Amino acid sequence: MNQRSIRLRGVRVHNLRDVDVDVPHHQLVVFCGVSGSGKTSLALDTLYAEGQRRYIESFSAYTRQFLQRLDRPDCESIEGLPPAIAVTRGGASRSNRSTIGTATETADYLRLLYAKVADLTCLNCGQPVRSDDPQSAANQLAATEPAARAMLGFPLLLESKLHAVDELSYLQQQGFLRLIVGDRSFNLGDESRGELAEAIGDGAEAIVIVDRLKTSDAAGRLTESMETAFAEGAGQAVALIESAEGETVIDGKSWQAMKWSRQRKCETCQITYPDPEPRLFNFNNPLGACPACEGFGDIVDVDMDLVVPDRSKTLREGAIQPWNTPSYQHELEELLALADDYDLPVDVPFSRLTKKQRRLIDEGVPEREFGGLNGFFAWLERKKYKMHIRVFLSRWRSYRRCTTCNGQRLKDEVLAYRVGGKNIAEVCAMEVDAIARFFADVKLADREAEIADDVLHQVRNRLGYLQSVGLGYLQLDRTLRTLSGGEAQRVALTSALGSSLVNMLYVLDEPTAGLHPADVPSLIESIVRLRDRGNTVAVVEHNEAVFAAADRLIEVGPGAGASGGEIVFEGTADEMVQTQGSLTGDYLSGRRGMLSLQRDRLQPRGWLKLTGASGNNLQSIDVDFPLGVLCVVTGVSGSGKSSLVHDTLYGAICRRKKKSGATSLPYSDLVGDGQLEDVLLVDQSPISRSPRSNPVTYVKAFDSIRKVFADTLEARTRNFGAGHFSFNSAAGRCEACEGDGMLQIDMQFLADIYMQCPECKGTRYRDEILKIRYRDRNIADVLKMTVRQAVSFFRGYDKVQEKLKRLTDVGLDYLQLGQPANTLSSGEAQRLKLAAFLSAAQRRRTLFLMDEPTTGLHVADIVKLLGCFDALLADGHSLIVVEHNLRLIKASDYIIDMGPGAAGNGGRVVAAGEPEVVKEVAESATGQILKRAIEADLAASEPE
Ligand code: ADP
Ligand code: ADP
Ligand code: ZN
Ligand code: ZN
């Protein structure tokens, strides 16, 4: 076939069945198919894994010693593979110091911009502060009118007569001839040494003359002498210009003095400013970071609201909470004992104590060996290497905004630098859309504009990329940690767009996750741009708009797990629609009779009324949520869906239900929660980052399975109990990897690498445990079975089957029982959480809050998911789902559409009601898309 393609032969990774496939270079190739069919195994675990392996191999000897032992993807051959970069949801850094700005390099270019062209105004008096250089100083000197004789030199502090001797002979050796002290000039020659010493006395400020010239001399001479003066004068230069009005008198003549300095110093306020260099504007660098919080913006500190939670209590009643515990009660007793002697009232409410009395409590009484609260907490601080002390201490401390920098993370002197009137922290705190407008309008002086041109171009480009992937509503300083998986992936995509790498292979994992249909076209444009720059782009997707943009579609299938793993279709989107046997094509063409998903519409059986929600961008709104139905919350990214559902509603219900640890954004009231007994948040956060958790343990089916093994004759003869079959217990697990089955290698600068444990070969167990077999399979074999295989394997064991059945219900029958939770996609993790709930004892009237449950799902899978939803609703539960999938939105009972736009332009409910109602609302972006889709359905269902 085509020479210019990546040629994969005999791929057997995971469920793939000897797959041969060609991925043409420089094209946009989309991998589709039902969930579990093998798309990810092909695109990420084969193409990307091998591409990255070869890439790493090419640059680091340290890494290579591990790589020989790492598994290559299981396949015959891969040829024509470029270096690969994966843009996925999981990879983003979760540290507090990575922000959207740093991840996209926008912050780097902003720093460069500030270093190059920022204006400095004194933070005290607001006057401009300038720095001189020899060139600008020479220009000023040349510009003095009228042209005159001048002496050019640099200031020198002579501290004492003794000190001056060495200094002067050094100057003489350097070739300087003259010196001014007071109102006289001196030769550095021996003959005037005596008089000079006299003039210096106990110290003097001298000017060492570098050159005597005319201000009208050639520019070259002025600059050259000025350079010498700046160099010898440690960045300072002085000129004395002969002038009748001059105020400085030397040798009887009057002179006008001019001074220059490299140093940025406000002469009025005597404040010196650091030189603008890029790292100064970086809160990760000690040079510019706020010293109080070291650039974090927050500090952790004793929180008096926690120490004294109830200020109406008196000291005797135990107002000081930490001293009510048995271990520290003696502190309170000491305080009560000395109170009388120091006029401290112990029977008035804490709130009524005077400042002075509070200070006594804080600072203690040294002569009575009482350390007060400060002493107490300092003592705890010293003891915090003990776990229980650390836990105790943390109860009284909280994070709060650093008061030194107000959360701006940088020193005041750094924030005094401005571009277009704003400092760098102010710019980063704005939303990307607003920053883009700001830099489109910003006016720079000609010289600055020229210097800044390149950098500004880079900044604007990156802001534009962020906008094109639908992230214009995010603040540049939002930490990646607070982003949803989809948002984080699109930030990563922006970094790819911003780099100028070509001839790379980019592998994207469902980039449309979390994106409203209205934002998809511009995302597609960005992906196409990545291809057009000369890269190969492989995308795992379910979104039909992305199919249409693909050069080539590769469908993996036909089913999931063992019934998948084959290429069932290759070609264009048009060809796919024509092709019988392509499941995706069947749905696309409507051959399945499934243009829209069918379900019977339900009526609400009650309402949950939230009023005055005003967190993040919510505009103090009242929202009625229907109960007992499938309610979807829609709206463009950044419109406030998560702020409403996740951050407000969930927290509000938890508070009413007295669930611990729940916080909520501000709201006025919530009524109707009495109709619910519980609330469950099923979000996309991973179940566990550890390879120890897996589907079978998560739905608690493993306990029963272990009993099956413990009940075998062989196990009983050897006295192995159920515990021996747990990879978490020392009794049976492999000692080398402690039951992980793999070893984690810390790669320092790269992501950690996992390697199969050489001792147990990844089985997690000791040999003697593996010898125990039930129906010819050992426990490790069982962990390798898919859910579907296990259901039939454990026939006769109702308990096991019942729990596993729940995994089948949510469409996870293709998963291996022991597949580490950290390898599950976010959609799978979410459905696993749902399965765990379904398999737990029946609970009544629970409200489920879900975040994009269709992520990673093919239409065929969504049909299953809807079945699962209907089962929950039939049981009397309620569902509120944040969703972007049009098919699911169409099939819902009730829509709450947020918007109309993002951030400040959103935060309201623009439409609410059944899909037929919402589609008539002109202001609603979702409504408009819904209208077109419903009309298209109708047109398609009309007989020809
Ligand atoms: P898709 O991307 O199409 O949803 P995957 O490629 O993730 O499907 O999965 C295909 C099959 O391979 C599934 O049966 C899945 O359980 C299995 N699989 C995926 N990742 C792993 C893994 N790390 N270890 C073992 N099996 C895996
Ligand atoms: P959606 O869920 O509709 O995408 P969000 O509720 O996440 O929207 O965001 C609504 C607005 O609130 C956006 O302007 C977003 O930047 C802001 N926002 C959301 N979460 C945070 C947060 N943790 N910190 C600061 N701003 C936030
Ligand atoms: Zn600070
Ligand atoms: Zn091991």
Side-chain angles (χ1 to χ4, degrees), residues 89 177 216 252 276 326 387 415 476-477 497 548 570 577 609 662 667 671 673 685 727 739 851 871 911 919 939:
R89 266 159 280 160
L177 301 173
S216 55
M387 198 54 182
L415 296 174
L476 208 53
D477 62 4
L497 288 166
E570 276 182 85
V577 172
K609 290 171 187 284
Y667 65 98
V671 284
D673 58 294
S685 62
F727 48 79
D851 182 14
K919 85 175 177 30

Side-chain angles (χ1 to χ4, degrees), residues 290-295 297-299 402-410:
C290 163
C293 62
E294 297 178 332
D298 289 321
I299 45 178
C402 168
T403 47
T404 307
C405 66
N406 260 322
Q408 295 194 306
R409 297 171 166 225
L410 293 165

Side-chain angles (χ1 to χ4, degrees), residues 14-15 34-41 45 561 814-816 819 823:
H14 301 150
N15 68 335
V34 296
S35 164
S37 58
K39 305 177 292 296
T40 313
S41 301
D45 302 331
Y814 61 89
L815 286 184
Q816 290 180 344
Q819 186 167 331
T823 68

